[in-house]
Amino acid sequence: MPIFPFRPSASRRSTPAFPQAMLDTVFEHVLLDDVPHPDTPLPQDVLPACTAEEVGEGYNLCWQLLEHGVDRRAFRRLILKIALSGVANDEEQLAFKYARAKFKHMRFACANFTRHHRYPLLLHVVTIIMGNMQDAFKNHQRRATLTNGLILWVALSPAYYWLISTPIALWKEDDATGIIAYQKKENARLAKLIRRLDATTGHEFHVMRKIISRRVAFNDTLRTIRPSRELDQLSEYLATINGMMGDFHDGLIEKKLDGTQNYRRDRFQSPEGIPQRIRAFLERSPH
């Protein structure tokens, strides 16, 4: 395996190593990030502050979850098997879902914790390809499964993966003030988008859901490092919104794939309950 530069930065992200119990805990939170808890009340503090130390720990926890939690060699074998056969059994679908979830959580961490507050381009692209492949094999789209699978298999090879992982290792964390400012900016975007929920498009709806998903990911990471009932409640409240939006969005994707609804142009009314919960969250958020 070739020796690439910047490995000290990657090593720094892995030191000190978090105990496996913490990695397991944050991943359990990740898997529950869209499970509804309709009876969980919205806590008073919906914009929790964190210390600089917690920011660094949060970002490194997400790094270790990806770097030490995904066996890329085994994942590539799985990708190639699904790509060539066009099908995945229940166990294979679950393994694919778990690996993709760790990539997605790292992508969210880059937006949530770093000074850039955005996704690294190649990490973003490869995560999208994973989603496209997952949609393809779930919907029995043979050609799309093969195409996305082969691209993904190449992208996760050691040399190409180095291009993906290097920015993640090198990006610097933001300070606590910058993170609060970013979250307030995201809230402002959410407030603007929610005005369109009476007549929104699939794309606009998805943009709103991504803001919610990023916030759930942030709180799930923070409550792993700093356990508290209030952070649990906030994650559960946001996970309820995320789950409601996710279920509805799955239907939008099916309509997009079968050609019955244009994802970017056709407008519809958001399901009842989603706008009310988002408005309650925004009303309690400091401006």
Side-chain angles (χ1 to χ4, degrees), residues 193 196-197 199-209 245 263-264 267:
L193 285 166
R196 306 176 188 171
L197 278 182
T200 190
T201 67
H203 174 69
E204 291 170 351
F205 189 84
H206 185 52
V207 170
M208 290 190 66
R209 192 199 174 199
M245 297 187 81
Y263 190 75
R264 289 183 174 268
R267 295 194 170 271

Side-chain angles (χ1 to χ4, degrees), residues 24-87:
D24 292 342
T25 296
V26 72
F27 189 55
E28 287 172 7
H29 293 333
V30 169
L31 294 179
L32 297 174
D33 69 358
D34 59 358
V35 175
H37 296 79
D39 297 327
T40 297
L42 183 64
Q44 288 299 317
D45 186 4
V46 298
L47 207 65
C50 50
T51 66
E53 182 179 8
E54 288 170 341
V55 173
E57 289 179 351
Y59 190 65
N60 288 346
L61 179 64
C62 298
W63 164 267
Q64 291 182 31
L65 180 66
L66 176 62
E67 287 296 303
H68 307 313
V70 176
D71 182 338
R72 288 192 300 277
R73 186 174 296 178
F75 188 37
R76 290 183 76 224
R77 288 197 298 267
L78 174 64
I79 290 167
L80 189 60
K81 186 268 179 191
I82 297 173
L84 295 179
S85 67
V87 295

Side-chain angles (χ1 to χ4, degrees), residues 113-129:
F113 290 106
T114 73
R115 297 173 187 173
H116 297 272
H117 291 299
R118 61 176 175 82
Y119 303 151
L121 178 60
L122 294 180
L123 176 63
H124 182 47
V125 169
V126 81
T127 307
I128 289 174
I129 295 171

